[in-house]
Amino acid sequence: MKEQLTLLEPQLKSVFKYLHENPEISWKERRTTDYIKGILEQEGYEVHTFADSTGLYVEIGEGRPVVGLRTDIDALWQEVDGEFQAHHSCGHDAHMTMVIGVLLLLKRLKRTWRGTIRVLFQPAEEKGQGALSFVDRGLVDDMDYLFGVHVRPVQELSDGTFCPALYHGASRLLCGQINGVESHAARPHLGKNAIEIGASLIEALKTIHIDTMIPFSVKVTKFQAGGESGNIIPAKAYFTIDVRAQTNEGIEQLHDGIERTIRAIESLYEVSIDLQEQVRVAAAEVDDEAKDIIEQAIIESVGEEYLRPPVITPGGEDFHFYTVKRANVKAAMLGLGCGLTPGLHHPKMTFNKDQLIVGVEILARTVLGAFAQAEKEALSC
């Protein structure tokens, strides 16, 4: 396997270079989809695309078990060197490169297995919507296993170390509008100041508590009110609340608390406050069997000394919607330690690209290990 990986390395470096230099935001990954489709069709794979969406998938083999491998394909929209642009600062260019590498490697290994490999190139992870769209298409309904990968910052994994599961937290992004009453600043008693109402809301949100054993946070991350004139009591204010909890149960409790808090502020000031959910991401539901398969793949690829325990991280990943929506799927996500600094979503994020080829090997061994595990279970029945 390692000999074939060495031969593939120059091609994968070229793939990464293209993907990194041509980022596209959620639901607009058209060139990315076409580029991946072209590579895989050139390798002889039958590629399935969608008339109404970006993204694609590939199937190899037939029958059960069905072993899935998923990568996200979208980029962030952020300010880089003073200019807003699409930018791969979350590592999706690396994830795509590794998953493409697995497909290229499996073809060259010419190994056989009993069952189906289904590889998902999923759009719109950053919007928290892409996984749900693939669930709606039925792409995981018959899956037995599903594996993913994510590069990790040095605060979680040092360069050249790997973990068999990532316990991401749940998150929600809520957008709201305060509907007060405008008046002259000299007559504030005739108005209902949206800024004052917002200040009360921000303070009230700090009183929301859940089980202290569950890490959580609730904070206002955007607040806009007022116009050009400073002598007008503003009626409208717009805000965003970022909500996070390490468990799916915790995030539900926080959401309920936010709803109660907003209703209380409405009653106190006799105004209306509109609230809408913009983004929802589920917390990880990791399967122990899937985790053990990745762990064995790490040991076989780099040795036990480079294996690290599963990482608990406050970040979010829509990968976990697959298991929340389809509990029959045994899923886990490989954590790739690659010297990533200064952090995910930072405009200057960088990492050791040499670890991508290691990631390809671990993921390939993971997929093959899942088939071996399924065959072992079948023989024991």
Side-chain angles (χ1 to χ4, degrees):
M1 183 178 288
K2 292 188 185 298
E3 181 180 347
Q4 293 295 335
L5 283 166
T6 300
L7 294 174
L8 281 174
E9 194 165 2
Q11 183 179 0
L12 293 179
K13 285 182 177 179
S14 176
V15 168
F16 176 82
K17 185 175 186 295
Y18 174 86
L19 293 170
H20 182 74
E21 293 177 353
N22 294 274
E24 295 175 294
I25 60 174
S26 301
W27 298 125
K28 296 185 179 180
E29 313 96 328
R30 299 180 186 90
R31 288 179 301 166
T32 304
T33 299
D34 290 342
Y35 177 75
I36 296 170
K37 179 174 182 286
I39 290 175
L40 299 182
E41 285 183 340
Q42 190 173 4
E43 291 287 330
Y45 287 112
E46 181 181 356
V47 177
H48 303 270
T49 56
F50 313 103
D52 59 345
S53 173
T54 50
L56 60 129
Y57 72 97
V58 173
E59 283 190 347
I60 315 167
E62 58 183 6
R64 304 293 291 269
V66 178
V67 177
L69 183 61
R70 171 269 197 183
T71 178
D72 29 25
I73 69 172
D74 58 330
L76 288 157
W77 183 257
Q78 66 181 151
E79 186 175 358
V80 182
D81 296 328
E83 180 181 350
F84 277 92
Q85 58 188 269
H87 185 57
H88 275 303
S89 60
C90 197
H92 296 187
D93 45 359
H95 305 164
M96 287 184 277
T97 301
M98 285 184 277
V99 170
I100 290 170
V102 171
L103 285 168
L104 302 185
L105 178 61
L106 290 176
K107 179 181 177 183
R108 285 154 179 76
L109 291 177
K110 298 180 180 178
R111 292 190 185 179
T112 58
W113 55 82
R114 185 176 300 173
T116 303
I117 299 175
R118 184 176 300 143
V119 181
L120 309 178
F121 292 86
Q122 177 213 297
E125 189 278 328
E126 297 295 351
K127 292 287 188 182
Q129 301 166 343
L132 292 171
S133 75
F134 272 21
V135 169
D136 290 342
R137 293 182 188 277
L139 293 178
V140 296
D141 287 354
D142 60 347
M143 269 190 190
D144 297 281
Y145 299 94
L146 178 62
F147 301 101
V149 60
H150 208 301
V151 293
R152 304 316 301 164
V154 292
Q155 296 91 341
E156 294 180 356
L157 288 175
S158 60
D159 193 11
T161 64
F162 310 88
C163 74
L166 296 173
Y167 286 86
H168 288 96
S171 64
R172 294 186 188 174
L173 199 64
L174 309 176
C175 296
Q177 175 178 309
I178 297 170
N179 303 299
V181 177
E182 194 167 271
S183 69
H184 195 291
R187 300 174 182 84
H189 62 289
L190 298 179
K192 294 187 178 181
N193 192 329
I195 295 176
E196 292 176 355
I197 297 167
S200 294
L201 174 60
I202 292 169
E203 288 302 310
L205 290 173
K206 296 177 183 178
T207 67
I208 298 173
H209 298 287
I210 61 173
D211 185 345
T212 55
M213 298 302 292
I214 303 173
F216 73 93
S217 67
V218 178
K219 63 274 184 189
V220 172
T221 55
K222 182 169 70 173
F223 192 90
Q224 297 174 335
E228 292 288 333
S229 300
N231 61 346
I232 296 176
I233 298 294
K236 302 288 186 182
Y238 308 90
F239 61 89
T240 299
I241 304 174
D242 181 274
V243 193
R244 297 178 186 268
Q246 203 60 49
T247 67
N248 290 313
E249 295 79 8
I251 202 77
E252 291 295 341
Q253 293 172 25
L254 290 176
H255 199 149
D256 290 345
I258 292 168
E259 292 278 3
R260 289 194 302 271
T261 299
I262 286 178
R263 300 292 84 83
I265 296 296
E266 282 183 322
S267 177
L268 177 64
Y269 287 93
E270 297 182 328
V271 296
S272 66
I273 302 176
D274 304 322
L275 189 70
Q276 292 185 332
E277 181 179 282
Q278 190 175 68
V279 177
R280 171 186 291 235
V281 177
E285 303 283 353
V286 176
D287 178 80
D288 287 340
E289 186 179 315
K291 174 175 67 68
D292 291 344
I293 291 170
I294 296 180
E295 181 174 304
Q296 185 59 35
I298 293 171
I299 294 170
E300 292 174 359
S301 299
V302 298
E304 193 166 1
E305 62 268 35
Y306 298 106
L307 171 68
R308 296 294 181 269
V311 167
I312 299 174
T313 176
E317 237 291 351
D318 85 340
F319 175 86
H320 305 298
F321 275 128
Y322 290 115
T323 47
V324 169
K325 295 295 184 180
R326 298 292 182 268
N328 58 291
V329 180
K330 300 174 182 179
M333 177 174 275
L334 167 68
L336 191 87
C338 51
L340 190 154
T341 59
L344 292 167
H345 290 208
H346 192 283
K348 299 295 184 181
M349 186 273 273
T350 187
F351 63 93
N352 180 7
K353 313 303 185 297
D354 292 339
Q355 296 300 347
L356 297 184
I357 203 73
V358 183
V360 173
E361 180 177 359
I362 295 171
L363 289 173
R365 290 187 185 278
T366 295
V367 169
L368 295 174
F371 285 113
Q373 177 66 24
E375 186 173 349
K376 179 180 177 182
E377 291 177 358
L379 292 173
S380 65
C381 291

